[in-house]
Every structure is written in structure tokens, then in C-alpha cells.
Amino acid sequence: MTIRGLPQISTGRNGVGAFILQCKRLDFHYCDWAGSSRGMNGFIKSLLPKFAAAHPQIEITVSPRPRKHPVVVGHYVNGKTKSIEVKNMEPMQVLQKVKLLRDASGEKDKRTTKPVTSINESVRGIWSPYHGNGMRV
Amino acid sequence: MSRALLRSVLELRPAVPRPIASPRILPATQIRALQTQTPRQFNPTAQFVDPQPRPSQLPEQSTSSLSSSSQREPPKQKPNPPRVRLPTTPPEITPQKLDPSVKSLLPLLAAQPAHYITIHIHGRPYLVTEGDAVRLPFLMPDVQPGDVLRLNRASTLGSRDFTLKGSPWVDERLFECRAVVTGTEQEPVRVMIKKKRRCRRKKHVFSQHRYTTLTISEVKVVTEVPEDA
């Protein structure tokens, strides 16, 4: 008898039952000297404490990265990362980018044409010509 | 110019915590947002006490104030009073009497295990069942991931053998449909090439849209209809 792995019983669907924010960590890298980090430094001083307090489920790390442009990196539950360079931006623009990283799911950008994706079985079943009353031609 | 910029930045500074703890505006007429995950306080007085509201405090400019902090200062304040748009509540629908056939057949519909429902958001129909993921064709304002929306506009509600059709809408008291905002999704960058005939010049126009994603967390048929219905 061959060994068979356990089949997956259920698929996780975020929001059914519990909701888990997909962004688990945000890294902020800045430079003290360079001018492109000015908005980022202002963001870290003025806006980041409020943002961090409002999102206790996100781990936030701030670390210097001298002689480089400022970067915000988001780490997601599915193991992927997404990074945005925020050079020469104002603090509010950096906040927009941070919100974008917070709302993202970590998946690759896909073009979808159908709005609804479902893994449920069809509620009304599949139509069959051999069942029901039939149709007189 | 630089003074105006500096002044705008200085003026924006106190308005900085707004986008995080901003008062909630109801997203649309069809959608009633229920705050279950992170209850944020609604503070309607913040828009009124200010004798001369800054442009960033007007609700219709609240989203644009996030995008650009420069070029915000208007040259001079106009003397006319500023328009303050209040969050609108959907018009009250007077409860109609339910048809007796609906009353008799609704328990049969509710007894069958799986249900589907055609909900309408901004006039567009989405046929969903419980647990489905919906990518809306627009970015919904003033929602955060984790918010729960009560969807109360539906045109059909059905199970395997029964379908309740609305004319045009199913009575709100007969079902409960809730959706969780799971985040925003981006599409890949679109590139449109603008080209005119007999001219070598090509212009590439880039666009990238963002969409709100929902998960239908609950579809329930309510069988205990109030007596006056």
C-alpha cells in the first residue's frame, strides 16, 4: 500500500469567521543625511506613532540605511514582501504609500475580469436535460 | 510661493491625525457599515466648531488632502460660507406588507442548506454565496480592512429549489448579508499607446487602478418576520 498524504480538508478564506490583516510587518528605512529622506524622517517623527498605535497587529521596525533612498517594505502572511521607495515625498504622501502596503494582500497584481470568485458548489446544481419535466419541441 | 507652501504644511500639521481617526462617513446609500472590529468614534462636531474651516477639513476634500500636502493653500478665502456636506443616510423605505405566499414559503427556503443572493452595490449585481470573494470595480472610500458592511439591497434570494425575487428589491427584513472588507487590490499597470497616423511619435499612457475586495461572511434568511409585516 502506498503512503498517501493527508488531503486538505478545508481552505482558509480570510474574513469568513475571522479576519486577519495580511500585512504583518512594515520596515521603514531612512537616511539621516540625505535630502530625499526629509519627508520620510518627518513621517517617522510625526505620523508613524499614531499609525503604529492604530494598527497593533502590524509589527513596525525603523532602521537607518545611510546613503540610500528611503524605503518602506511590507511583509505579508503569505511570505511575500512588497517594497516602495518613498524618496522626495512629503509625509502625507508617505502615509498614502504606507496605507497602500497595509491594505495589500501580498499577492501579485492580477488583472481580473470577473468580480466574484467562489469555491462553493453551485447552489442550484448543474442543469441536466434528463431531469425535470422536459420540454416539448 | 515657498511661503505659501510652508504655511500649508504648517496648517496641515494639526490636521495630521485625521486620516487615522477620522469620523466615518457612510460609504454609500446601499451600504451600511457596521463597525465591529475597531469601533471608531463618530465626532460630527469637528466639522462645525471651526469658525473658518481649512480646506482640508471639508469632507469633499478629505481624500484629496491625503494625496498632496503641497499646492493646498488657496490664494484667498472666499467670503461665502463653506459648503459642509453631511453624511447622508439612505432614505427611509416604508415597510410594506409581506405577501402571504412569501410568508408561507419563506421557511421552506430557509430550511434548505445553501443560499445564494444577488446583492447590488452602486447598482451593479453580484451573485454571491457565503464565503465568496468579491473584487469591486472601484475603490470604496472611507473603509479600512476589517470593516464589516451590511449589504441590504438584493434583487434575488434563493436556495436549490426556491427563489425569492424582489420587485425590484427583496424586503430588507427577510435576509442578513454581511461582507468583510479584506483590503485593496491593484491591477497591473495598463499601458495605452497613443499614436496618430503618418506620425512616428508614440505616447505611452500609464494607468493603474485600485479596487476594494470583500469577503461575504454571512448570508442568512430571516424567518422571524415581525407581526406587522
Side-chain angles (χ1 to χ4, degrees), chain B residues 120-189:
Chain B
H120 286 245
I121 302 176
H122 285 322
R124 286 174 185 254
Y126 303 91
L127 194 153
V128 293
T129 55
E130 193 172 308
D132 287 359
V134 182
R135 195 217 62 168
L136 298 175
F138 56 91
L139 184 66
M140 191 180 279
D142 301 318
V143 291
Q144 277 195 5
D147 285 353
V148 181
L149 310 178
R150 170 88 184 267
L151 305 168
N152 61 353
R153 194 56 59 90
S155 58
T156 56
L157 169 67
S159 62
R160 184 174 173 95
D161 296 326
F162 298 96
T163 298
L164 174 61
K165 286 188 182 176
S167 56
W169 310 118
V170 176
D171 196 313
E172 281 180 28
R173 296 164 293 179
L174 299 184
F175 66 92
E176 275 184 37
C177 181
R178 288 196 172 84
V180 179
V181 178
T182 49
T184 41
E185 201 177 280
Q186 278 184 326
E187 62 170 7
V189 178

Side-chain angles (χ1 to χ4, degrees), chain B residues 47-182:
Chain B
Q47 296 168 355
F48 300 114
V49 290
D50 211 345
Q52 195 173 16
R54 288 183 290 272
S56 65
Q57 287 213 329
L58 294 179
E60 62 264 28
Q61 291 180 350
S62 61
T63 50
S64 63
S65 73
L66 305 180
S67 57
S68 64
S69 61
S70 57
Q71 79 252 13
R72 187 107 300 275
E73 179 73 13
K76 55 175 179 278
Q77 284 284 346
K78 284 179 184 151
N80 56 353
R83 278 189 306 128
V84 175
R85 201 173 58 190
L86 291 174
T88 55
T89 52
E92 281 296 318
I93 300 168
T94 53
Q96 302 266 323
K97 281 279 208 187
L98 284 181
D99 197 80
S101 69
V102 172
K103 270 189 179 175
S104 61
L105 287 173
L106 197 65
L108 299 177
L109 194 156
Q112 294 200 330
H115 298 107
Y116 70 92
I117 187 167
T118 308
I119 53 162
H120 286 245
I121 302 176
H122 285 322
R124 286 174 185 254
Y126 303 91
L127 194 153
V128 293
T129 55
E130 193 172 308
D132 287 359
V134 182
R135 195 217 62 168
L136 298 175
F138 56 91
L139 184 66
M140 191 180 279
D142 301 318
V143 291
Q144 277 195 5
D147 285 353
V148 181
L149 310 178
R150 170 88 184 267
L151 305 168
N152 61 353
R153 194 56 59 90
S155 58
T156 56
L157 169 67
S159 62
R160 184 174 173 95
D161 296 326
F162 298 96
T163 298
L164 174 61
K165 286 188 182 176
S167 56
W169 310 118
V170 176
D171 196 313
E172 281 180 28
R173 296 164 293 179
L174 299 184
F175 66 92
E176 275 184 37
C177 181
R178 288 196 172 84
V180 179
V181 178
T182 49

Side-chain angles (χ1 to χ4, degrees), chain A residues 34-86:
Chain A
S36 64
S37 285
R38 203 189 313 131
M40 179 67 161
N41 295 347
F43 170 81
I44 290 172
K45 275 178 200 150
S46 59
L47 299 179
L48 186 58
K50 293 245 169 62
F51 181 85
H55 300 89
Q57 65 270 52
I58 303 178
E59 176 191 351
I60 287 181
T61 63
V62 181
S63 59
R65 210 173 64 128
R67 302 188 304 280
K68 300 237 178 13
H69 286 315
V71 173
V72 184
V73 186
H75 298 260
Y76 295 91
V77 171
N78 62 0
K80 299 200 173 172
T81 60
K82 193 170 189 171
S83 57
I84 297 182
E85 196 180 53
V86 288

Side-chain angles (χ1 to χ4, degrees), chain A residues 65-137:
Chain A
R65 210 173 64 128
R67 302 188 304 280
K68 300 237 178 13
H69 286 315
V71 173
V72 184
V73 186
H75 298 260
Y76 295 91
V77 171
N78 62 0
K80 299 200 173 172
T81 60
K82 193 170 189 171
S83 57
I84 297 182
E85 196 180 53
V86 288
K87 61 177 181 183
N88 300 324
M89 285 187 187
E90 299 289 326
M92 295 307 277
Q93 292 171 314
V94 178
L95 182 66
Q96 284 295 304
K97 296 297 179 190
V98 171
K99 281 183 175 173
L100 192 151
L101 287 178
R102 175 200 66 189
D103 294 350
S105 65
E107 297 290 333
K108 270 193 169 181
D109 293 352
K110 287 190 293 274
R111 200 177 106 77
T112 48
T113 49
K114 297 272 188 273
V116 179
T117 47
S118 178
I119 58 172
N120 294 343
E121 278 187 21
S122 165
V123 172
R124 300 186 62 186
I126 301 167
W127 181 79
S128 162
Y130 305 114
H131 298 87
N133 296 328
M135 191 196 295
R136 304 285 299 178
V137 182

Side-chain angles (χ1 to χ4, degrees), chain A residues 25-36:
Chain A
R25 199 172 100 205
L26 284 174
D27 295 344
F28 295 85
H29 298 291
Y30 65 98
C31 172
D32 272 328
W33 176 81
S36 64

